[in-house]
Amino acid sequence: MAYYKDLPDNLKSNSLTDKEAIRQSIRNIINTRKGSVPGKPDFGCPLDSYLFEQLDDTLRDLLIGDINTSLRKWEPRINVEDVNVEFQEAYNRIDITINYSYSIVRTDDYESITISIDTQV
């Protein structure tokens, strides 16, 4: 019988598994259109609402605010330290880098994840 596994078998360590699960959760939250999950109308991040907006400082501030709000609400295992938004106009892409620490374990470890969003449809 086949069943769903979100991590490969070679990741046996709990700390690695937990860290990778958190990274995947962050990706899922950021890449899920708000209102698209049945029963959870507030789940996700409304990045799609900015698809045809001008790439400027106002948009950067709105994106940072929405990302912070979404992650604080839906991923309690992390503390968002910083969100950096870079516009790659030549590639029709927005690069979002999220720096975070773990709130479930007291540690000096900081992680970073970069998510790229295509602005061209």
Side-chain angles (χ1 to χ4, degrees):
M1 175 181 217
Y3 59 92
Y4 174 76
K5 294 189 329 183
D6 60 351
L7 292 172
D9 288 333
N10 62 350
L11 292 178
K12 299 292 185 189
S13 168
N14 283 340
S15 65
L16 282 177
T17 302
D18 292 344
K19 287 181 179 182
E20 187 56 35
I22 290 170
R23 290 175 68 81
Q24 187 59 43
S25 175
I26 293 169
R27 285 186 199 98
N28 288 343
I29 293 166
I30 298 301
N31 289 319
T32 300
R33 188 172 55 102
K34 195 170 185 176
S36 67
V37 177
K40 292 184 179 179
D42 291 336
F43 182 80
C45 193
L47 298 184
D48 62 317
S49 64
Y50 304 117
L51 187 59
F52 297 106
E53 298 296 323
Q54 184 175 354
L55 304 179
D56 58 11
D57 289 337
T58 301
L59 178 62
R60 180 177 284 114
D61 292 342
L62 290 170
L63 290 170
I64 290 170
D66 282 342
I67 291 166
N68 274 316
T69 300
S70 297
L71 290 177
R72 286 195 173 108
K73 181 172 185 174
W74 294 107
E75 187 47 80
R77 299 174 291 182
I78 65 167
N79 296 314
V80 177
E81 304 295 332
D82 184 43
V83 177
N84 186 26
V85 174
E86 293 293 325
F87 300 126
Q88 304 295 332
E89 294 182 47
Y91 301 106
N92 294 317
R93 187 178 75 209
I94 299 173
D95 291 335
I96 301 166
T97 303
I98 302 163
N99 297 307
Y100 60 93
S101 60
Y102 298 101
S103 62
I104 54 174
V105 177
R106 295 282 182 213
T107 179
D108 291 334
D109 288 347
Y110 289 92
E111 297 285 333
S112 179
I113 184 171
T114 300
I115 299 170
S116 295
I117 308 290
D118 287 330
T119 60
Q120 186 177 26
V121 177

